[in-house]
Amino acid sequence: MEKIRKKRIWPRVLAIVLAAIVFIVACVAITFTCVWWDEISTVSSFRHIRSRNDANKEGSVYSMNVSGGFYFDDFLEGGGASSDSELIDFITGNITRGLVDIEIGETDIGCSSFIARAENGDILFGRNYDFDKTNVCLTMCDPGEGRYKSFSTVDLNYVGITDTDRDVSGLIQQITCLAAPYAPLDGINEKGVSCGIFMSYQGPGDGAVSTDQQDVAKDNITSTTMLRMVLDYAATTDEAVKLISGYNLHDSANTSFHYMIADATGRSAILEWVPEGVTDSNDTDGSARSLNVIYNDDPMYAELLEGSEFRFQTITNFIITPGYYDGEDQPADEKGEGAQKGLDRYDYINGVLGGTGGIVEDEEAAMDILRAVGRRTWNGGGGVTVHSAVYNLTKKTVLWVANENFDDPSAIWKYDLASGTLTSLADAE
């Protein structure tokens, strides 16, 4: 009888143990899902939308819809970051939970941008991103809670995806791409504010001295996180400048940058960090620099804009603050080398826009200007323009082209911030 009772008890005990195990596993799974819900949703949205072309030095193109606020409020409330390593610590501690290491790659980029007005009155912001073969991600964010929806382009080299001869593969690399919102290089938000980052090659010789401000009364911010702050919180160019003025800038990737911001009213500004009374030849102390803002109605443009219907503005890769270069006698050569790198592209764009009074026919005409200064063809070629974008600040739309494939519909996308729709031109035809 006792043996029979024991035989009956064991199945019950086993069932209870199994039920307990299932319950624990379910609790762990629910907890994991709750904690990682935004990250899981973001990684699930990661798409490979264009394959690399090694023969033409083209990396792959990806898209990703970012769920949640990616802890950027916490980043700013915690004082930001004064170096790439501090930014990496924050990202790995909050987004990847220490499970995946993030790196920030160094870079040597060219780039050109301008603001113009279309014939129908729309304000357009054009941008070429010149670099080497690299993978990029079209990154759509909708963080809510007082922050603005945005579209931005991210070079995945900036988050440690440095092997451009391979596609992003596997869960670990996709988790790495969760850092993409912290590394925009250009973009637009739902208020029609657009911005871009450009190397400025500040300092003597062929190297660059990074801006490294040290005002103890201010919080700190790095290059790409400054652009993220603008996209998330600024409704106008003036709001963006006010936000930025409250931070110490610390350039990323061991180089120096300047920036351009524009809004739907047509007001634009170039932001540069330069030391007072110091020229490029002895600009060796990044902590001595202060912010200088040059708006598109600045008196320095009076001659250039004389007779123009619209106050256009252009930026490439040299500091435009008057007096920064010794005697203003150091132009770049035909390949863009020299103190004022990009002066040839700057003059070309200004010549085109000056000839039309700052007016272009439409987005495609603005893209034609970017096509003309693309690195594969400009002055004999030899470089790579990773992407070209025309941001319509009035309609809050994007026309985006991969790797100078201006005539290939499969390499062209349109994005609408109102609907959140990314459309391949090949699918639209």
Side-chain angles (χ1 to χ4, degrees):
M1 203 62 173
E2 186 66 25
K3 289 182 179 180
I4 294 174
R5 276 199 295 269
K6 286 182 179 180
K7 287 182 179 179
R8 291 176 178 173
I9 291 172
W10 275 112
R12 295 177 185 173
V13 171
L14 182 59
I16 292 171
V17 170
L18 289 174
I21 292 172
V22 171
F23 177 76
I24 292 171
V25 170
C27 287
V28 170
I30 292 171
T31 301
F32 179 85
T33 301
C34 290
V35 171
W36 285 78
W37 178 253
D38 287 335
E39 289 79 7
I40 292 171
S41 298
T42 301
V43 170
S44 297
S45 75
F46 192 78
R47 298 286 184 272
H48 188 184
I49 60 175
R50 182 172 175 82
S51 298
R52 69 184 193 278
N53 180 352
D54 297 330
N56 198 36
K57 299 181 180 179
E58 298 181 28
S60 288
V61 182
Y62 301 87
S63 69
M64 183 170 69
N65 290 287
V66 180
S67 297
F70 48 89
Y71 306 96
F72 195 69
D73 281 334
D74 295 337
F75 173 75
L76 294 180
E77 289 170 5
S82 61
S83 65
D84 289 341
S85 60
E86 286 186 9
L87 175 59
I88 290 168
D89 287 345
F90 179 85
I91 292 173
T92 55
N94 289 271
I95 295 180
T96 68
R97 308 297 202 281
L99 298 179
V100 179
D101 291 332
I102 302 293
E103 299 177 3
I104 293 181
E106 296 185 16
T107 185
D108 185 15
I109 59 180
C111 308
S112 307
S113 269
F114 61 87
I115 181 174
R117 194 177 75 196
E119 289 182 353
N120 66 0
D122 289 354
I123 305 300
L124 306 178
F125 182 96
R127 189 306 201 259
N128 270 354
Y129 174 56
D130 302 330
F131 182 42
D132 294 318
K133 179 185 176 186
T134 190
N135 299 307
V136 297
C137 183
L138 310 185
T139 304
M140 283 71 75
C141 299
D142 187 6
E145 298 182 0
R147 292 158 62 187
Y148 300 126
K149 183 189 304 184
S150 68
F151 169 103
S152 62
T153 309
V154 177
D155 179 349
L156 294 180
N157 175 70
Y158 265 86
V159 297
I161 307 294
T162 57
D163 187 352
T164 59
D165 292 327
R166 297 180 60 188
D167 293 330
V168 175
S169 60
L171 181 61
I172 296 301
Q173 285 202 328
Q174 291 184 16
I175 291 174
T176 298
C177 293
L178 289 171
Y182 285 79
L185 297 176
D186 53 74
I188 181 175
N189 70 18
E190 63 180 288
K191 292 297 183 179
V193 171
S194 196
C195 50
I197 182 172
F198 312 84
M199 277 193 72
S200 54
Y201 298 96
Q202 290 170 251
D206 294 329
V209 177
S210 299
T211 299
D212 188 29
Q213 294 182 297
Q214 300 292 333
D215 186 342
V216 295
K218 295 181 178 181
D219 287 335
N220 301 291
I221 204 157
T222 60
S223 300
T224 58
T225 54
M226 187 180 76
L227 263 66
R228 171 50 57 196
M229 180 174 69
V230 169
L231 292 173
D232 280 16
Y233 298 99
T236 65
T237 296
D238 289 336
E239 282 187 18
V241 171
K242 184 178 179 180
L243 277 171
I244 291 167
S245 299
Y247 286 83
N248 290 317
L249 175 65
H250 304 273
D251 281 331
S252 302
N254 295 321
T255 189
S256 60
F257 299 99
H258 57 169
Y259 308 80
M260 187 171 179
I261 300 170
D263 66 26
T265 71
R267 184 164 173 79
S268 67
I270 292 173
L271 283 66
E272 301 183 331
W273 280 256
V274 293
E276 187 175 354
V278 173
T279 60
D280 183 56
S281 61
N282 54 11
D283 183 7
T284 59
D285 183 0
S287 66
R289 294 174 183 163
S290 57
L291 174 62
N292 184 40
V293 183
I294 305 102
Y295 292 97
N296 57 336
D297 58 358
D298 192 280
M300 69 174 283
Y301 294 120
E303 183 177 351
L304 176 66
L305 296 176
E306 185 177 1
S308 289
E309 188 176 339
F310 178 75
R311 297 191 307 269
F312 61 89
Q313 193 174 32
T314 304
I315 186 173
T316 56
N317 300 112
F318 64 94
I319 294 294
I320 67 167
T321 298
Y324 181 73
Y325 297 101
D326 295 325
E328 301 292 336
D329 59 356
Q330 301 178 52
D333 63 22
E334 67 277 4
K335 291 297 184 182
E337 301 301 325
Q340 292 177 271
K341 298 182 194 302
L343 179 59
D344 51 354
R345 286 176 279 120
Y346 182 83
D347 286 343
Y348 175 83
I349 295 171
N350 280 339
V352 173
L353 293 177
T356 62
I359 308 299
V360 296
E361 183 178 355
D362 50 23
E363 286 100 329
E364 286 73 19
M367 190 66 78
D368 284 342
I369 298 175
L370 298 176
R371 179 200 289 249
V373 294
R375 287 185 67 182
R376 287 184 172 84
T377 53
W378 180 254
N379 281 334
V384 173
T385 293
V386 177
H387 76 268
S388 304
V390 174
Y391 297 105
N392 187 317
L393 310 189
T394 305
K395 292 186 170 66
K396 289 78 176 179
T397 58
V398 184
L399 177 63
W400 196 96
V401 178
N403 287 284
E404 299 184 59
N405 291 292
F406 299 101
D407 299 316
D408 180 359
S410 69
I412 304 172
W413 286 266
K414 292 185 176 181
Y415 183 72
D416 183 279
L417 272 89
S419 65
T421 304
L422 179 68
T423 306
S424 167
L425 199 63
D427 294 337
E429 292 184 343

